[in-house]
Every structure is written in structure tokens, then in C-alpha cells.
Amino acid sequence: MSERGDTAEPLLKGDDADEAIAAAAESRHDEDDRLKPEFVSAVLDAVEEGDAERARDLVSPLHPADIADLLELTPADRRGEVAAALGDLVGAEVLSELNDYVRDDLIGDLAPEQVAEFASELDTDDAVAMIEDMEEADQQAVLDALDPEDRAAIESALSYPEESAGRLMQRDLVAVPEHMTVGQVIDYLRDNGDLTRDFWEIYVVDAKHRPIGYCQLSWILTCPRAIAMADLMKREQTLIPVDMDQEEVALRFQKYALISAAVVDGGGRLVGMITVDDVVHIISEEAGEDILRLSGAGEGDINEPILMTVRARLIWLVVNLGTAMLAASVVGLFEGTIERFAMLAALMGIVSGMGGNAGTQTLAVVVRALATNQLTSSNTARMIGREFRIAATNGATLGTLIGIGSYIIYGRIDLSLVFGAAIVTNNLVAGLAGVLVPITLERNNVDPAVSSAVFVTMMTDSLGFFSFLGLATLFLR
Amino acid sequence: MSERGDTAEPLLKGDDADEAIAAAAESRHDEDDRLKPEFVSAVLDAVEEGDAERARDLVSPLHPADIADLLELTPADRRGEVAAALGDLVGAEVLSELNDYVRDDLIGDLAPEQVAEFASELDTDDAVAMIEDMEEADQQAVLDALDPEDRAAIESALSYPEESAGRLMQRDLVAVPEHMTVGQVIDYLRDNGDLTRDFWEIYVVDAKHRPIGYCQLSWILTCPRAIAMADLMKREQTLIPVDMDQEEVALRFQKYALISAAVVDGGGRLVGMITVDDVVHIISEEAGEDILRLSGAGEGDINEPILMTVRARLIWLVVNLGTAMLAASVVGLFEGTIERFAMLAALMGIVSGMGGNAGTQTLAVVVRALATNQLTSSNTARMIGREFRIAATNGATLGTLIGIGSYIIYGRIDLSLVFGAAIVTNNLVAGLAGVLVPITLERNNVDPAVSSAVFVTMMTDSLGFFSFLGLATLFLR
């Protein structure tokens, strides 16, 4: 028990935390809380040698989230074998923590009855996540194998659009009428505690089951029994419409620092509850996916089948091939000038490259600001002005620097002036395109993270070449 | 009261929700939960006309997070005036929701006593966030103005490193010895309910105040009074070391789906508690900042003073100027070839551009996988193999496409073969650099999101030009 206070290891087993297990525990995670490669190898070796018992001994102290990590870190072609050796250690909770592709792969081999058994152990939202991507026939077989109550709950969730609040919510919640007292609520909970164990707030509803307030459990526990719920509850409440998109749900949880929220149908009736632990991974995903979209990397899921990844990235590369050809055709207009001054071919890439970098900087900022609702129509004009000033300042600085530098190297004042002027021009193009393109796309309901980069690169490349080679054609003698 | 069930509007006022307020409420937010520009203008106009009362009437139904949004959407030079007109509507909670720069700007004008009064109304973590960025003298003045208890709590938090668990945690928490029963805990909470109102779990500690288990409030509420805490509590518990970096804290909350967690010092003693609402914005920030770092946009905070933004972006552009000059010098090596075949100048940008795009795709995926702890030493080799296969497939496809396309346009088989081969080569360079560079940086404790893009672009540009122009020099006649 002496190791309990060990701060280097997050998951401390109480009952059996003797020195040996503590030492083993220490060798499981690295300082960043990831499973160590030695630990993963040890489990894989045990499975390979047919020693399932040793594999299970190693794995059994792990949290379900860590067992899921272990399966993800296992090579795809050995996952089935490892999962089989671990037996019931790979339970419903582990499946609900698994990456979608890895889970679909694993449960693809199971009988519908087994999947149904896992689903019945989970909250509705986790059960839905597990079966929503199955083929329709397989999904139907699982639903048929469920008991009627679970089946009704899951079918009802599946009736809402994908990625909506209706899919995220759980149906098990505590709702009480406002005339109840704190004491009556506690007695009610003691009598009905088997309904649900994980809740953080209870809802107060009117006769039509519409939420009229909520109450944190801590308020109930710190109040005398005689207090009426009507006096204790907070009436100002963030309600989630059942058809709201999960991204909006996540932003709302974040903005109002919610722990849980009531979900209501079109008639304002309480139909479910969403808790923050179901939203946290959406917040992280939504915030992280912009970088993947902006770079055209598709989903960017490292467990995605490789052909899907190839296809997603190739589409983006072919689209960008189009913009590169456009830029090349701009250069082609000036072949005569390039034949006369071959150094232009070397320098023109600096003009387009600097513009590309500046445009990407602006794009990244604007796409994030749009995604986090910080950039709205109220401050769009200010944002454009801000980016224009930044582009002008950086363009002037770089243009001067490059003008002077190229004069030192080539000793031609005409070339330096053309070069500097092209850099300033392309920085302004980059800054304005970087802010105007994503805002325009967003206004037209096109995801700016997906489509902006193509347009901005097209402009900084083509106009960078055009301004530099055009000015050179006019002024270089 | 009939509007209570309105699902379009998240914040429903209960007591005074008559038709008029409901209508006004509807005009405040757009469908994405952002304040409408008309609403913002209405408030600003009222302030400008000196009608502070109208401004307060408009703003008073808002949630503190929305009042903070309103101030952020107000032009910087009018924020002081608007805050003054709103008076006590801009309270401690609003300040704690504000963007750092906007808050620092606003509280810069306040007397230390006023700041201290705001700080004393907040949880320790929010108070610390408010004053941690102040100049040392100003901070000291605020601390001097606090009452001794608040001051001690804040000073203790400030003694931990910035962005550590010690700064995030709150000191108000509920800890009980394991021999207590559920009934005794409830009685204790009723007697001491003024200590803290926002908690979701209570901790069970041993005689040395080391946490030995935790208990969700819902478990207490659903159990008979006679049950002992020792039997109810869960001993497997995720503890947070007080000096852990906030990014790790956020990942741990996410991985184990925590609502709150005990913070322990080096001796394993319970010193504080972190709740998920304090972590949610970190999860979002950490996930979102990779896109900003990868593009060299600095913090990417749209409220940052413009000179700081210019400086951050300019540094990045100058670094990239270096790589662009290197690429230009590669082109310079082949000026003779370009003079003979001017179309190469137009086409070489396609080779470098396609490589740049493919490299950015891989980088984005790898940087995200590293940040989310999905890519560890256990699956690095597999990841490299995966990216190599993707690069080979996409390179072969694009190389063939471009080879055939250029044959149709130029009718030169030698040029098409050189072009296609260069595209394949540069795609492989891009894929391998895109995965090896960030992994190598991470292993050497350099943030891959900040530094990877420079190296990868340098390689795809320089080697793209080198392979294309080099092959052309060898084989074009």
C-alpha cells in the first residue's frame, strides 16, 4: 500500500498495490502516459508464445482506455489473435474506447449476439457509436438480438441524424417535479438508484415533462432536507435541441462550461441528457481536424484503411495539380523574358513561396477564429483591416530586405526594385486572400478549412509569378 | 412562460421569460450561438448615445460568457467605455471568461483594490489566471489588497510553474476519512456546505491526507445512509501530480473521461482538485494550436497586439526566406539548362509544389498523431511503412498522369519521362520527410508542430528542383 501516493503513475490499484505490481505498473507507462513499447512487446510476445494467461496477467491492471490503446498499437493483422487471448478483458468498455476502424475490424468477426451483449452493457450513446457504422443487415441482426428495451432506446437514437445531439445523448437521467423537497429527492434516488449511476445534475420538469430548471448534486447534498427543489434549482439553463449538430453541442459545452445538459425535442420535452465526458473527445477532434482539412489529409486517422487514405489525399493532390498547372501557364507567358534572364527562374520561386507562407499563416488564424466563433460578422471588417496592416508591414519589411540582398548579389538596381515590388504585392495578395477566401466560403456554407488553401495558393502562386515576371518584362533591360 | 420550451435559444430565463424578453432573446444569438451583429451594434449605439441604462437592459439577460464575447467583439478602443457603462454586469465571472489580452487591457485601468475584489470572488484557478500575467509590481499590489486566506491560496498557486496542474487546480474540495458512512458524509456536507458549492466527486483520504479513493456524488445519493465510504468508494483513481504540464492533464482527462481529479504533491498528499470545466478550453486550445504552429502563425490570437503578431509571423517568414533562397540556389545551378529549355522554368514549380502538398499532408497527420499520443515508439515503424506506401502509390499515379499529360502537350517522350520520374522521386521525399522529420524532432524534445514545416519544405523544394532539373540536364537533348 506504500506505493499509493506515487505520483508518476496515474492508475493506482488500491487493494493489490503491493511493491511488485507497483514496479510493473511503473514499467507500463512512459512519462507522457503512453504505453511503453517494452510493455506492448511483452504482451504480444506472450500471445505469440501461446501463453494467454501471462498476457492477461500483464493486461488486467490496465484501465479500459489503456487496453484500447494496446489494441491500437498492435499490428492490424494480429489484433484478432490478441483480443481472443485477452478474452473478457476486452469488454464493452474497451470496445467503446477503441478507434472506429479498429473496432469495426474487431467486431466484424463477432456473432450478432455477442455484439448485442456488448451493446447492452453500454450507455445508449456508446452502444449507438458501436453499431452505427455497421452494414444495415449486420446492424439489424444485432438489433434483433437485443432485449426490447435496449433495442427501442438504440433504434430511437439511430432515428436522429448522424453526429447530432440525439445520437450523443443518453436516455437514463433523473427528472423530478418541482414540488418535491430535497429530502424526497434523496429518498427517491435511494429507491431508484439502479436506474443510472453516472449523473451529475438532475432536472426539474413541469407536468408536460419540459425542463424548467436543473440542480447540481452538490447543491442537494449541502442543503437541508426540507428545502423545495423549486427554491434550490437554477432556472437559467442551457438546453440542447435534439437535432443540434455535435460540433455546436461541443462549442456550447465549452462556452458555458457545462458538466451535463438536458436535451429537448421540438416540443420542448426532456428526451435525454448529454454529459461532458461524451463531448470532450468531440471538442478535441473538431479542434484538431482543421489542420488535417487545411492540408487535404482527409480524416487523417492513422487506423484508416490505406486505400481510403490514398484516395482522399490523391483527390487533393490532383486538385492542387490544377492550380500548379495554372501557375505554370502564367510562367509560360514569360518564357521569352526567362530565356533572356535565366536567374529569374531561380528567383521567382522566392516570390511565390513567400506569398504562400504568408497566406497560410493568415488562413490558419482565420480558419481557427471561424471555428471557435471568435470571428463573426461583428468583427469581420476589423479582422480584414488587421490582416491588411500585418501583410503591408511584413511585405514592406521582406521586400526591403530582399531588394537590398539581391542588389548585393546581382548589383542590378532594376532587378532589386522589381523583386522588392513583387514581394510587397504578393504579401498583400496573400494577406487579403487569406482572410477573404475563408470568410466568403463560410458565408456560403462551404467549410473554409477544406477549400480555402486551394484558392489562396492559386492566387499567391499565379499572382506571385505574374507580378514578378510581368514587372521584369516591363523594366529589365 | 410559454417560451420556456423554445429550443432555438439556449439560455432561457425562467422567472421573467415573458413574450417580450423571449423575442429579444431570439434576436441576440444567431443559429450558431454567436451574438448577432445587430445586437452588438445596439449595445454600442446605446453606450455611444450615453444611454447606459438601455445598454444594461440589453446586456443583463446574457450569460457571463456572452458578456465576455460582447466585449471581445467591441473595437479595442471602445472597450473601456462599454465596460464602464455596463458597470457591475462586467463582474469577476465575465473577466475570467475574457480573452487574456482583452482582460489585461481592461484590468490595466483598474485600481489594485478593484482587481483584488474581483479575484476574491473567483475560484483560485480563475483568480490566478486573471493576475498571473500582470507586471510584478501590479501583481504584488493586488496580492497586498487581498484578505490573508485568498492571498495565501493565490500565492501558493503562483509558486507552481506556469501551465502546470498547480495553477489549474482549486483548493476548495471535500475530503473525508474512509471510516465515515454515507449518512455521516451527508450530515457533514450539510453542516459545511458553505465551503464550496461546485464539486462532483469527493475524495477519501488516509490519516496523512493521501487520497485512497474517490466517490461520485451520485453514488452517495443512491446509497443507504449506513454504507461505509470504504465500501462505496472506487480505489482505482487517476491522480494528477501538482507539477504536471496542463497539456498532459488535458490528455489524461480526455483519455480516462474524468469529471474531476485529485491533485497530489510529491509526498502523495491531496493538495487540490481539477474539474473538467477548467480543462475543456485547454483541450480545445492544445488541439487547435498545432495548425497555427505548423503554419508559423504564432499564437494566432486575434486579440493579440498587432506588433506582437507581426513579429511572430515575420520571424517565420524570414526563416522560410532562407529555405526559399536555398531552393533558388539549386535552380541557379541549372541556369544553363533553363536557358536552353525555358519551359522547364514553368514546369519545375509543379514538381516542387506537388511535393510540398504531399509533405504537408503527411506532416499534418503525423503531428496530430503525435499530439494525441496515438503515434508512439510501438507503432513508429508501421507508420513509416504506411506513409511510404501512400507516397509510392500517389507518386506513381501522379507521375503517370503528369507524364502522359505533358507528352500530349509537348510531344517529347524524354521530357515526359524526366517529369514523371521527378514527380515520383519528390513524392517519396515528401512522404518520408513528412513522417521522419516530426518524429525525429519529437524524440529530441523539439515541438514538431513548430519546426517541422521548414525542414520538410526545404527538402521538397530543393530536391524537387534538383531531381527535375538534374534529370533534364542529363537526358534532354
Side-chain angles (χ1 to χ4, degrees):
Chain A
M1 309 291 255
S2 65
E3 291 302 306
R4 268 176 194 159
D6 182 352
T7 58
E9 176 57 27
L11 279 172
L12 298 175
K13 305 287 295 179
D15 285 327
D16 48 356
D18 58 37
E19 300 281 326
I21 294 262
E26 220 152 278
S27 71
R28 282 198 301 266
H29 288 92
D30 67 11
E31 73 284 6
D32 282 343
D33 219 13
R34 301 172 298 205
L35 291 175
K36 285 191 182 173
E38 300 81 31
F39 176 80
V40 176
S41 308
V43 176
L44 296 188
D45 290 349
V47 173
E48 191 156 23
E49 291 159 17
D51 193 347
E53 201 182 334
R54 179 153 55 92
R56 277 197 297 270
D57 281 349
L58 282 164
V59 171
S60 69
L62 292 183
H63 187 281
D66 282 308
I67 302 181
D69 280 359
L70 172 70
L71 286 170
E72 289 174 20
L73 291 174
T74 301
D77 54 358
R78 297 197 51 203
R79 277 184 200 135
E81 177 197 353
V82 172
L86 296 179
D88 59 4
L89 287 175
V90 181
E93 262 193 277
V94 172
L95 287 180
S96 79
E97 297 276 354
L98 271 182
N99 172 280
D100 289 354
Y101 292 109
V102 177
R103 183 183 53 226
D104 291 351
D105 198 32
L106 275 182
I107 63 177
D109 301 335
L110 299 180
E113 292 73 24
Q114 285 176 282
V115 180
E117 200 179 313
F118 285 135
S120 66
E121 289 172 34
L122 293 169
D123 283 339
T124 323
D125 54 321
D126 291 324
V128 167
M130 190 164 80
I131 70 165
E132 65 185 351
D133 290 330
M134 297 178 101
E135 306 272 327
E136 207 171 319
D138 295 341
Q139 195 183 75
Q140 198 52 52
V142 173
L143 287 171
D144 289 342
L146 280 166
D147 73 45
E149 201 184 330
D150 287 337
R151 177 180 170 153
I154 292 177
E155 282 183 334
S156 144
L158 286 172
S159 73
Y160 296 109
E162 273 193 63
E163 311 211 325
S164 70
R167 297 253 176 141
L168 272 183
M169 71 188 184
Q170 57 192 80
R171 271 151 195 75
D172 294 333
L173 55 82
V174 179
V176 299
E178 69 179 315
H179 60 73
M180 272 180 123
T181 65
V182 165
Q184 287 172 322
V185 168
I186 294 181
D187 294 342
Y188 168 80
L189 289 173
R190 286 207 184 116
D191 294 341
N192 297 276
D194 50 334
L195 277 179
T196 175
R197 292 257 298 173
D198 290 330
F199 59 101
W200 315 95
E201 291 167 343
I202 67 176
Y203 304 104
V204 182
V205 290
D206 66 12
K208 291 185 174 154
H209 213 65
R210 293 179 303 200
I212 55 174
Y214 76 100
C215 196
Q216 291 183 10
L217 299 187
S218 56
W219 307 344
I220 295 176
L221 278 167
T222 51
C223 264
R225 284 179 65 93
I227 300 280
M229 290 303 287
D231 296 328
L232 183 60
M233 72 180 185
K234 205 163 165 182
R235 290 177 190 269
E236 287 171 31
Q237 182 179 10
T238 302
L239 300 178
I240 306 283
V242 72
D243 56 357
M244 179 178 255
D245 185 82
Q246 64 173 21
E247 184 168 0
E248 283 305 311
V249 174
L251 281 174
R252 205 168 266 196
F253 265 77
Q254 210 180 324
K255 178 168 178 182
Y256 300 118
L258 304 178
I259 299 294
S260 70
V263 180
V264 290
D265 66 12
R269 282 175 301 270
L270 179 66
V271 291
M273 163 176 83
I274 296 178
T275 53
V276 67
D277 52 310
D278 298 321
V279 171
V280 157
H281 73 275
I282 298 172
I283 293 175
S284 164
E285 262 170 42
E286 299 282 353
E289 72 187 8
D290 280 344
I291 189 177
L292 301 165
R293 290 186 181 165
L294 204 57
S295 64
E299 272 189 62
D301 188 326
I302 66 171
N303 293 298
E304 189 181 46
I306 200 160
L307 277 179
M308 284 175 68
T309 307
V310 164
R311 189 165 164 276
R313 294 202 201 168
L314 197 53
I315 290 172
W316 177 257
L317 291 174
V318 169
V319 170
N320 273 277
L321 176 59
T323 74
M325 285 169 58
L326 184 69
S329 71
V330 171
V331 176
L333 296 177
F334 299 99
E335 270 184 18
T337 311
I338 291 173
E339 271 165 12
R340 283 174 56 210
F341 307 101
M343 83 276 205
L344 294 182
L347 302 181
M348 69 186 188
I350 296 181
V351 178
S352 63
M354 287 287 94
N357 284 321
T360 307
Q361 288 180 332
T362 308
L363 253 190
V365 172
V366 174
V367 164
R368 273 308 287 156
L370 285 170
T372 53
N373 280 349
Q374 287 189 282
L375 177 54
T376 77
S377 13
S378 310
N379 58 353
T380 297
R382 219 177 328 143
M383 186 76 173
I384 296 173
R386 182 182 154 86
E387 287 300 330
F388 181 81
R389 285 189 291 155
I390 295 171
T393 313
N394 282 348
T397 312
L398 285 173
T400 309
L401 198 67
I402 286 173
I404 294 174
S406 61
Y407 183 74
I408 293 171
I409 297 172
Y410 297 97
R412 292 189 57 154
I413 188 74
D414 54 353
L415 175 67
S416 293
L417 287 174
V418 163
F419 204 175
I423 290 282
V424 174
T425 308
N426 210 23
N427 253 283
L428 290 176
V429 168
L432 288 177
V435 62
L436 291 175
V437 167
I439 288 175
T440 309
L441 291 172
E442 163 103 350
R443 292 252 166 109
N444 291 285
N445 297 315
V446 180
D447 183 346
V450 172
S451 332
S452 292
V454 173
F455 292 108
V456 174
T457 311
M458 189 173 74
M459 288 191 220
T460 55
D461 273 3
S462 301
L463 294 176
F465 291 143
F466 188 80
S467 60
F468 182 55
L469 297 175
L471 289 171
T473 306
L474 289 177
F475 297 109
L476 290 200
R477 289 289 163 261
Chain B
M1 307 291 255
S2 63
E3 293 301 308
R4 268 178 193 155
D6 182 354
T7 58
E9 175 57 29
L11 280 171
L12 298 174
K13 304 288 295 180
D15 287 327
D16 49 356
D18 56 38
E19 301 280 327
I21 295 265
E26 222 152 276
S27 71
R28 280 198 303 266
H29 289 90
D30 67 12
E31 74 282 6
D32 282 342
D33 221 11
R34 302 172 298 205
L35 292 176
K36 286 190 182 172
E38 301 80 34
F39 177 79
V40 176
S41 309
V43 176
L44 295 188
D45 290 348
V47 173
E48 191 158 22
E49 291 160 16
D51 193 348
E53 199 181 336
R54 180 151 56 92
R56 278 199 295 271
D57 281 350
L58 283 164
V59 171
S60 68
L62 293 183
H63 187 282
D66 282 311
I67 302 182
D69 280 359
L70 172 69
L71 285 170
E72 288 174 20
L73 292 174
T74 301
D77 55 358
R78 296 198 52 201
R79 277 182 199 135
E81 176 198 354
V82 171
L86 295 179
D88 58 2
L89 287 174
V90 181
E93 263 194 277
V94 172
L95 287 179
S96 79
E97 297 277 354
L98 270 182
N99 173 278
D100 289 355
Y101 292 108
V102 177
R103 183 182 54 227
D104 292 352
D105 198 34
L106 276 183
I107 64 177
D109 301 334
L110 298 180
E113 293 73 25
Q114 284 177 286
V115 180
E117 200 180 312
F118 285 135
S120 66
E121 287 172 35
L122 294 170
D123 282 339
T124 323
D125 55 321
D126 291 325
V128 166
M130 190 164 80
I131 71 165
E132 67 184 350
D133 290 330
M134 295 178 103
E135 306 273 327
E136 209 172 318
D138 294 341
Q139 195 183 75
Q140 199 52 52
V142 173
L143 288 171
D144 290 342
L146 281 166
D147 73 49
E149 201 184 331
D150 287 338
R151 177 180 171 155
I154 292 177
E155 282 184 334
S156 145
L158 287 171
S159 73
Y160 296 108
E162 274 191 64
E163 310 211 325
S164 72
R167 296 250 177 145
L168 271 184
M169 72 188 185
Q170 58 191 79
R171 272 148 195 78
D172 295 331
L173 54 81
V174 179
V176 298
E178 68 178 317
H179 60 72
M180 272 180 125
T181 63
V182 164
Q184 287 170 322
V185 168
I186 294 180
D187 294 342
Y188 168 80
L189 288 173
R190 286 205 185 119
D191 292 342
N192 298 275
D194 49 338
L195 277 180
T196 176
R197 293 258 296 173
D198 289 331
F199 59 101
W200 315 96
E201 290 168 345
I202 69 177
Y203 304 104
V204 182
V205 290
D206 66 11
K208 292 186 173 153
H209 212 68
R210 292 180 303 199
I212 55 174
Y214 75 99
C215 195
Q216 290 183 13
L217 298 188
S218 56
W219 306 344
I220 295 176
L221 278 168
T222 49
C223 264
R225 283 180 66 94
I227 301 282
M229 289 304 288
D231 297 329
L232 184 59
M233 71 179 184
K234 206 163 165 182
R235 289 176 190 271
E236 287 172 32
Q237 180 178 12
T238 303
L239 301 177
I240 307 283
V242 72
D243 56 357
M244 180 177 254
D245 184 82
Q246 65 172 20
E247 185 168 1
E248 283 305 312
V249 175
L251 281 173
R252 206 166 264 197
F253 264 77
Q254 210 180 326
K255 179 169 176 182
Y256 299 118
L258 306 177
I259 299 293
S260 72
V263 180
V264 291
D265 66 14
R269 282 176 300 272
L270 179 66
V271 292
M273 165 176 82
I274 296 178
T275 52
V276 67
D277 51 312
D278 298 321
V279 171
V280 158
H281 73 275
I282 298 173
I283 294 175
S284 163
E285 262 170 41
E286 299 282 350
E289 72 188 6
D290 280 345
I291 187 177
L292 300 166
R293 290 186 181 164
L294 204 56
S295 62
E299 273 189 61
D301 187 327
I302 65 170
N303 293 298
E304 190 181 43
I306 199 161
L307 277 179
M308 286 176 67
T309 307
V310 164
R311 188 165 166 276
R313 293 202 202 169
L314 197 54
I315 290 172
W316 177 258
L317 291 175
V318 169
V319 170
N320 274 278
L321 176 59
T323 73
M325 283 169 59
L326 184 69
S329 72
V330 171
V331 176
L333 296 176
F334 299 99
E335 271 186 14
T337 312
I338 291 173
E339 271 166 9
R340 284 174 55 212
F341 306 102
M343 82 274 209
L344 295 182
L347 301 181
M348 68 187 189
I350 295 180
V351 178
S352 63
M354 286 288 95
N357 284 323
T360 305
Q361 288 179 333
T362 309
L363 252 189
V365 172
V366 173
V367 164
R368 271 309 286 158
L370 286 171
T372 52
N373 281 348
Q374 285 189 285
L375 177 54
T376 79
S377 14
S378 310
N379 58 352
T380 297
R382 217 178 327 144
M383 186 75 175
I384 295 171
R386 181 182 154 87
E387 287 300 330
F388 181 81
R389 285 190 291 156
I390 294 171
T393 314
N394 282 348
T397 313
L398 285 174
T400 309
L401 198 67
I402 287 174
I404 295 174
S406 62
Y407 183 75
I408 294 171
I409 296 174
Y410 296 97
R412 293 191 56 156
I413 189 75
D414 54 353
L415 175 68
S416 292
L417 288 173
V418 163
F419 204 174
I423 289 281
V424 174
T425 308
N426 211 23
N427 253 283
L428 290 176
V429 169
L432 288 177
V435 64
L436 291 174
V437 167
I439 287 174
T440 309
L441 291 172
E442 163 104 350
R443 291 251 167 111
N444 291 285
N445 296 315
V446 180
D447 182 346
V450 173
S451 332
S452 293
V454 174
F455 292 107
V456 174
T457 310
M458 191 172 73
M459 290 191 219
T460 53
D461 273 3
S462 301
L463 295 176
F465 291 142
F466 189 80
S467 60
F468 182 54
L469 297 175
L471 290 171
T473 306
L474 289 177
F475 298 109
L476 290 201
R477 286 291 162 257

